[in-house]
PDB file of all heavy atoms in Angstrom:
ATOM      1  N   ASP A  48     -12.156  30.748  61.332  1.00 76.00           N
ATOM      2  CA  ASP A  48     -11.819  29.332  61.301  1.00 76.00           C
ATOM      3  C   ASP A  48     -13.033  28.433  61.521  1.00 76.00           C
ATOM      4  O   ASP A  48     -13.105  27.330  60.986  1.00 76.00           O
ATOM      5  CB  ASP A  48     -10.760  29.017  62.363  1.00 76.00           C
ATOM      6  CG  ASP A  48      -9.411  29.633  62.034  1.00 76.00           C
ATOM      7  OD1 ASP A  48      -9.169  29.943  60.845  1.00 76.00           O
ATOM      8  OD2 ASP A  48      -8.607  29.829  62.956  1.00 76.00           O
ATOM      9  N   LEU A  49     -14.000  28.912  62.303  1.00 72.00           N
ATOM     10  CA  LEU A  49     -15.158  28.091  62.625  1.00 72.00           C
ATOM     11  C   LEU A  49     -16.384  28.418  61.783  1.00 72.00           C
ATOM     12  O   LEU A  49     -17.433  27.815  61.966  1.00 72.00           O
ATOM     13  CB  LEU A  49     -15.503  28.240  64.116  1.00 72.00           C
ATOM     14  CG  LEU A  49     -14.407  27.819  65.097  1.00 72.00           C
ATOM     15  CD1 LEU A  49     -14.859  28.060  66.525  1.00 72.00           C
ATOM     16  CD2 LEU A  49     -14.040  26.349  64.896  1.00 72.00           C
ATOM     17  N   CYS A  50     -16.256  29.384  60.868  1.00 82.00           N
ATOM     18  CA  CYS A  50     -17.400  29.777  60.041  1.00 82.00           C
ATOM     19  C   CYS A  50     -17.616  28.792  58.900  1.00 82.00           C
ATOM     20  O   CYS A  50     -16.662  28.210  58.372  1.00 82.00           O
ATOM     21  CB  CYS A  50     -17.173  31.171  59.452  1.00 82.00           C
ATOM     22  SG  CYS A  50     -17.079  32.483  60.682  1.00 82.00           S
ATOM     23  N   ALA A  51     -18.867  28.638  58.509  1.00 82.00           N
ATOM     24  CA  ALA A  51     -19.163  27.854  57.321  1.00 82.00           C
ATOM     25  C   ALA A  51     -18.548  28.541  56.108  1.00 82.00           C
ATOM     26  O   ALA A  51     -18.477  29.760  56.039  1.00 82.00           O
ATOM     27  CB  ALA A  51     -20.672  27.718  57.147  1.00 82.00           C
ATOM     28  N   ASP A  52     -18.084  27.758  55.159  1.00 87.00           N
ATOM     29  CA  ASP A  52     -17.475  28.319  53.958  1.00 87.00           C
ATOM     30  C   ASP A  52     -17.914  27.476  52.774  1.00 87.00           C
ATOM     31  O   ASP A  52     -18.126  26.264  52.898  1.00 87.00           O
ATOM     32  CB  ASP A  52     -15.953  28.319  54.088  1.00 87.00           C
ATOM     33  CG  ASP A  52     -15.283  29.027  52.928  1.00 87.00           C
ATOM     34  OD1 ASP A  52     -15.769  30.099  52.537  1.00 87.00           O
ATOM     35  OD2 ASP A  52     -14.294  28.494  52.396  1.00 87.00           O
ATOM     36  N   ARG A  53     -18.070  28.096  51.614  1.00 92.00           N
ATOM     37  CA  ARG A  53     -18.581  27.393  50.446  1.00 92.00           C
ATOM     38  C   ARG A  53     -17.573  27.460  49.305  1.00 92.00           C
ATOM     39  O   ARG A  53     -17.410  28.493  48.668  1.00 92.00           O
ATOM     40  CB  ARG A  53     -19.912  28.008  49.997  1.00 92.00           C
ATOM     41  CG  ARG A  53     -21.000  27.963  51.051  1.00 92.00           C
ATOM     42  CD  ARG A  53     -21.487  26.537  51.282  1.00 92.00           C
ATOM     43  NE  ARG A  53     -22.588  26.511  52.235  1.00 92.00           N
ATOM     44  CZ  ARG A  53     -22.493  26.141  53.497  1.00 92.00           C
ATOM     45  NH1 ARG A  53     -21.315  25.760  53.990  1.00 92.00           N
ATOM     46  NH2 ARG A  53     -23.563  26.133  54.276  1.00 92.00           N
ATOM     47  N   CYS A  54     -16.904  26.341  49.074  1.00 93.00           N
ATOM     48  CA  CYS A  54     -16.022  26.241  47.915  1.00 93.00           C
ATOM     49  C   CYS A  54     -16.829  26.221  46.624  1.00 93.00           C
ATOM     50  O   CYS A  54     -16.314  26.566  45.557  1.00 93.00           O
ATOM     51  CB  CYS A  54     -15.175  24.973  47.997  1.00 93.00           C
ATOM     52  SG  CYS A  54     -14.064  24.920  49.427  1.00 93.00           S
ATOM     53  N   GLU A  55     -18.092  25.816  46.706  1.00 95.00           N
ATOM     54  CA  GLU A  55     -18.974  25.785  45.549  1.00 95.00           C
ATOM     55  C   GLU A  55     -20.403  26.036  45.994  1.00 95.00           C
ATOM     56  O   GLU A  55     -20.758  25.837  47.162  1.00 95.00           O
ATOM     57  CB  GLU A  55     -18.877  24.438  44.826  1.00 95.00           C
ATOM     58  CG  GLU A  55     -19.124  23.261  45.724  1.00 95.00           C
ATOM     59  CD  GLU A  55     -18.798  21.923  45.074  1.00 95.00           C
ATOM     60  OE1 GLU A  55     -17.972  21.878  44.137  1.00 95.00           O
ATOM     61  OE2 GLU A  55     -19.390  20.907  45.509  1.00 95.00           O
ATOM     62  N   LEU A  56     -21.227  26.520  45.068  1.00 96.00           N
ATOM     63  CA  LEU A  56     -22.631  26.782  45.333  1.00 96.00           C
ATOM     64  C   LEU A  56     -23.469  26.228  44.198  1.00 96.00           C
ATOM     65  O   LEU A  56     -23.023  26.148  43.045  1.00 96.00           O
ATOM     66  CB  LEU A  56     -22.904  28.291  45.455  1.00 96.00           C
ATOM     67  CG  LEU A  56     -22.400  29.005  46.709  1.00 96.00           C
ATOM     68  CD1 LEU A  56     -22.625  30.509  46.576  1.00 96.00           C
ATOM     69  CD2 LEU A  56     -23.090  28.475  47.961  1.00 96.00           C
ATOM     70  N   GLU A  57     -24.712  25.893  44.512  1.00 97.00           N
ATOM     71  CA  GLU A  57     -25.641  25.431  43.479  1.00 97.00           C
ATOM     72  C   GLU A  57     -26.468  26.606  42.972  1.00 97.00           C
ATOM     73  O   GLU A  57     -27.040  27.358  43.760  1.00 97.00           O
ATOM     74  CB  GLU A  57     -26.566  24.345  44.017  1.00 97.00           C
ATOM     75  CG  GLU A  57     -27.520  23.802  42.960  1.00 97.00           C
ATOM     76  CD  GLU A  57     -28.409  22.689  43.479  1.00 97.00           C
ATOM     77  OE1 GLU A  57     -29.043  22.889  44.541  1.00 97.00           O
ATOM     78  OE2 GLU A  57     -28.471  21.624  42.839  1.00 97.00           O
ATOM     79  N   ILE A  58     -26.542  26.757  41.671  1.00 98.00           N
ATOM     80  CA  ILE A  58     -27.373  27.783  41.061  1.00 98.00           C
ATOM     81  C   ILE A  58     -28.570  27.129  40.390  1.00 98.00           C
ATOM     82  O   ILE A  58     -28.461  26.049  39.793  1.00 98.00           O
ATOM     83  CB  ILE A  58     -26.571  28.616  40.031  1.00 98.00           C
ATOM     84  CG1 ILE A  58     -27.395  29.804  39.538  1.00 98.00           C
ATOM     85  CG2 ILE A  58     -26.082  27.765  38.872  1.00 98.00           C
ATOM     86  CD1 ILE A  58     -26.597  30.794  38.696  1.00 98.00           C
ATOM     87  N   ASN A  59     -29.728  27.753  40.523  1.00 98.00           N
ATOM     88  CA  ASN A  59     -30.924  27.335  39.790  1.00 98.00           C
ATOM     89  C   ASN A  59     -31.090  28.315  38.639  1.00 98.00           C
ATOM     90  O   ASN A  59     -31.267  29.519  38.854  1.00 98.00           O
ATOM     91  CB  ASN A  59     -32.143  27.344  40.711  1.00 98.00           C
ATOM     92  CG  ASN A  59     -33.350  26.711  40.064  1.00 98.00           C
ATOM     93  OD1 ASN A  59     -33.763  27.110  38.976  1.00 98.00           O
ATOM     94  ND2 ASN A  59     -33.934  25.722  40.731  1.00 98.00           N
ATOM     95  N   TRP A  60     -31.051  27.812  37.409  1.00 98.00           N
ATOM     96  CA  TRP A  60     -31.054  28.677  36.242  1.00 98.00           C
ATOM     97  C   TRP A  60     -32.438  29.233  35.918  1.00 98.00           C
ATOM     98  O   TRP A  60     -32.563  30.120  35.077  1.00 98.00           O
ATOM     99  CB  TRP A  60     -30.510  27.929  35.032  1.00 98.00           C
ATOM    100  CG  TRP A  60     -29.064  27.564  35.157  1.00 98.00           C
ATOM    101  CD1 TRP A  60     -28.540  26.322  35.362  1.00 98.00           C
ATOM    102  CD2 TRP A  60     -27.940  28.450  35.079  1.00 98.00           C
ATOM    103  NE1 TRP A  60     -27.168  26.366  35.412  1.00 98.00           N
ATOM    104  CE2 TRP A  60     -26.769  27.662  35.239  1.00 98.00           C
ATOM    105  CE3 TRP A  60     -27.810  29.818  34.883  1.00 98.00           C
ATOM    106  CZ2 TRP A  60     -25.493  28.217  35.221  1.00 98.00           C
ATOM    107  CZ3 TRP A  60     -26.539  30.372  34.854  1.00 98.00           C
ATOM    108  CH2 TRP A  60     -25.395  29.579  35.020  1.00 98.00           C
ATOM    109  N   GLY A  61     -33.491  28.718  36.546  1.00 98.00           N
ATOM    110  CA  GLY A  61     -34.831  29.229  36.309  1.00 98.00           C
ATOM    111  C   GLY A  61     -35.585  28.541  35.202  1.00 98.00           C
ATOM    112  O   GLY A  61     -36.739  28.884  34.934  1.00 98.00           O
ATOM    113  N   ASP A  62     -34.958  27.560  34.559  1.00 97.00           N
ATOM    114  CA  ASP A  62     -35.629  26.818  33.493  1.00 97.00           C
ATOM    115  C   ASP A  62     -35.746  25.336  33.823  1.00 97.00           C
ATOM    116  O   ASP A  62     -35.939  24.498  32.941  1.00 97.00           O
ATOM    117  CB  ASP A  62     -34.887  26.987  32.168  1.00 97.00           C
ATOM    118  CG  ASP A  62     -33.443  26.468  32.219  1.00 97.00           C
ATOM    119  OD1 ASP A  62     -32.984  26.048  33.303  1.00 97.00           O
ATOM    120  OD2 ASP A  62     -32.767  26.495  31.165  1.00 97.00           O
ATOM    121  N   GLY A  63     -35.631  25.021  35.127  1.00 97.00           N
ATOM    122  CA  GLY A  63     -35.702  23.628  35.564  1.00 97.00           C
ATOM    123  C   GLY A  63     -34.349  22.968  35.704  1.00 97.00           C
ATOM    124  O   GLY A  63     -34.273  21.818  36.159  1.00 97.00           O
ATOM    125  N   ASN A  64     -33.272  23.675  35.353  1.00 98.00           N
ATOM    126  CA  ASN A  64     -31.925  23.121  35.459  1.00 98.00           C
ATOM    127  C   ASN A  64     -31.151  23.775  36.598  1.00 98.00           C
ATOM    128  O   ASN A  64     -31.358  24.950  36.909  1.00 98.00           O
ATOM    129  CB  ASN A  64     -31.164  23.347  34.146  1.00 98.00           C
ATOM    130  CG  ASN A  64     -31.743  22.551  33.003  1.00 98.00           C
ATOM    131  OD1 ASN A  64     -31.751  21.329  33.027  1.00 98.00           O
ATOM    132  ND2 ASN A  64     -32.246  23.248  31.982  1.00 98.00           N
ATOM    133  N   THR A  65     -30.280  22.995  37.202  1.00 98.00           N
ATOM    134  CA  THR A  65     -29.382  23.489  38.240  1.00 98.00           C
ATOM    135  C   THR A  65     -27.955  23.092  37.889  1.00 98.00           C
ATOM    136  O   THR A  65     -27.727  22.214  37.046  1.00 98.00           O
ATOM    137  CB  THR A  65     -29.746  22.928  39.622  1.00 98.00           C
ATOM    138  OG1 THR A  65     -29.602  21.492  39.600  1.00 98.00           O
ATOM    139  CG2 THR A  65     -31.177  23.285  40.011  1.00 98.00           C
ATOM    140  N   GLU A  66     -26.990  23.731  38.559  1.00 98.00           N
ATOM    141  CA  GLU A  66     -25.588  23.424  38.304  1.00 98.00           C
ATOM    142  C   GLU A  66     -24.773  23.811  39.533  1.00 98.00           C
ATOM    143  O   GLU A  66     -25.105  24.773  40.225  1.00 98.00           O
ATOM    144  CB  GLU A  66     -25.095  24.180  37.072  1.00 98.00           C
ATOM    145  CG  GLU A  66     -23.683  23.823  36.634  1.00 98.00           C
ATOM    146  CD  GLU A  66     -23.271  24.528  35.354  1.00 98.00           C
ATOM    147  OE1 GLU A  66     -24.154  25.109  34.680  1.00 98.00           O
ATOM    148  OE2 GLU A  66     -22.065  24.513  35.036  1.00 98.00           O
ATOM    149  N   ILE A  67     -23.720  23.071  39.803  1.00 97.00           N
ATOM    150  CA  ILE A  67     -22.785  23.402  40.878  1.00 97.00           C
ATOM    151  C   ILE A  67     -21.667  24.262  40.303  1.00 97.00           C
ATOM    152  O   ILE A  67     -20.989  23.865  39.354  1.00 97.00           O
ATOM    153  CB  ILE A  67     -22.202  22.132  41.516  1.00 97.00           C
ATOM    154  CG1 ILE A  67     -23.314  21.237  42.063  1.00 97.00           C
ATOM    155  CG2 ILE A  67     -21.218  22.501  42.624  1.00 97.00           C
ATOM    156  CD1 ILE A  67     -24.127  21.877  43.163  1.00 97.00           C
ATOM    157  N   LEU A  68     -21.496  25.462  40.879  1.00 98.00           N
ATOM    158  CA  LEU A  68     -20.464  26.375  40.407  1.00 98.00           C
ATOM    159  C   LEU A  68     -19.340  26.465  41.430  1.00 98.00           C
ATOM    160  O   LEU A  68     -19.588  26.741  42.611  1.00 98.00           O
ATOM    161  CB  LEU A  68     -21.051  27.773  40.195  1.00 98.00           C
ATOM    162  CG  LEU A  68     -22.230  27.906  39.221  1.00 98.00           C
ATOM    163  CD1 LEU A  68     -22.638  29.365  39.101  1.00 98.00           C
ATOM    164  CD2 LEU A  68     -21.881  27.333  37.858  1.00 98.00           C
ATOM    165  N   PRO A  69     -18.090  26.254  41.036  1.00 96.00           N
ATOM    166  CA  PRO A  69     -16.962  26.413  41.961  1.00 96.00           C
ATOM    167  C   PRO A  69     -16.628  27.887  42.153  1.00 96.00           C
ATOM    168  O   PRO A  69     -16.828  28.720  41.267  1.00 96.00           O
ATOM    169  CB  PRO A  69     -15.824  25.681  41.249  1.00 96.00           C
ATOM    170  CG  PRO A  69     -16.157  25.823  39.797  1.00 96.00           C
ATOM    171  CD  PRO A  69     -17.663  25.788  39.708  1.00 96.00           C
ATOM    172  N   ARG A  70     -16.127  28.230  43.314  1.00 96.00           N
ATOM    173  CA  ARG A  70     -15.661  29.595  43.568  1.00 96.00           C
ATOM    174  C   ARG A  70     -14.435  29.856  42.698  1.00 96.00           C
ATOM    175  O   ARG A  70     -13.533  29.018  42.611  1.00 96.00           O
ATOM    176  CB  ARG A  70     -15.350  29.775  45.050  1.00 96.00           C
ATOM    177  CG  ARG A  70     -14.971  31.193  45.432  1.00 96.00           C
ATOM    178  CD  ARG A  70     -15.030  31.398  46.934  1.00 96.00           C
ATOM    179  NE  ARG A  70     -14.364  30.335  47.662  1.00 96.00           N
ATOM    180  CZ  ARG A  70     -14.520  30.099  48.973  1.00 96.00           C
ATOM    181  NH1 ARG A  70     -15.319  30.865  49.689  1.00 96.00           N
ATOM    182  NH2 ARG A  70     -13.870  29.124  49.563  1.00 96.00           N
ATOM    183  N   ASN A  71     -14.376  31.047  42.075  1.00 95.00           N
ATOM    184  CA  ASN A  71     -13.314  31.287  41.100  1.00 95.00           C
ATOM    185  C   ASN A  71     -12.414  32.468  41.431  1.00 95.00           C
ATOM    186  O   ASN A  71     -11.614  32.890  40.591  1.00 95.00           O
ATOM    187  CB  ASN A  71     -13.915  31.467  39.703  1.00 95.00           C
ATOM    188  CG  ASN A  71     -14.622  32.797  39.530  1.00 95.00           C
ATOM    189  OD1 ASN A  71     -15.037  33.424  40.514  1.00 95.00           O
ATOM    190  ND2 ASN A  71     -14.775  33.236  38.288  1.00 95.00           N
ATOM    191  N   ASN A  72     -12.518  33.043  42.650  1.00 95.00           N
ATOM    192  CA  ASN A  72     -11.622  34.161  42.991  1.00 95.00           C
ATOM    193  C   ASN A  72     -10.746  33.782  44.181  1.00 95.00           C
ATOM    194  O   ASN A  72     -11.100  32.928  44.994  1.00 95.00           O
ATOM    195  CB  ASN A  72     -12.415  35.430  43.286  1.00 95.00           C
ATOM    196  CG  ASN A  72     -13.286  35.327  44.530  1.00 95.00           C
ATOM    197  OD1 ASN A  72     -13.856  34.269  44.819  1.00 95.00           O
ATOM    198  ND2 ASN A  72     -13.412  36.419  45.266  1.00 95.00           N
TER     199      ASN A  72
END
Side-chain angles (χ1 to χ4, degrees):
D48 291 339
L49 300 178
C50 296
D52 186 43
R53 300 290 184 256
C54 298
E55 54 190 25
L56 288 174
E57 182 178 51
I58 188 171
N59 189 305
W60 294 108
D62 61 356
N64 293 297
T65 62
E66 186 176 348
I67 302 298
L68 302 182
R70 185 165 47 196
N71 73 338
N72 66 323

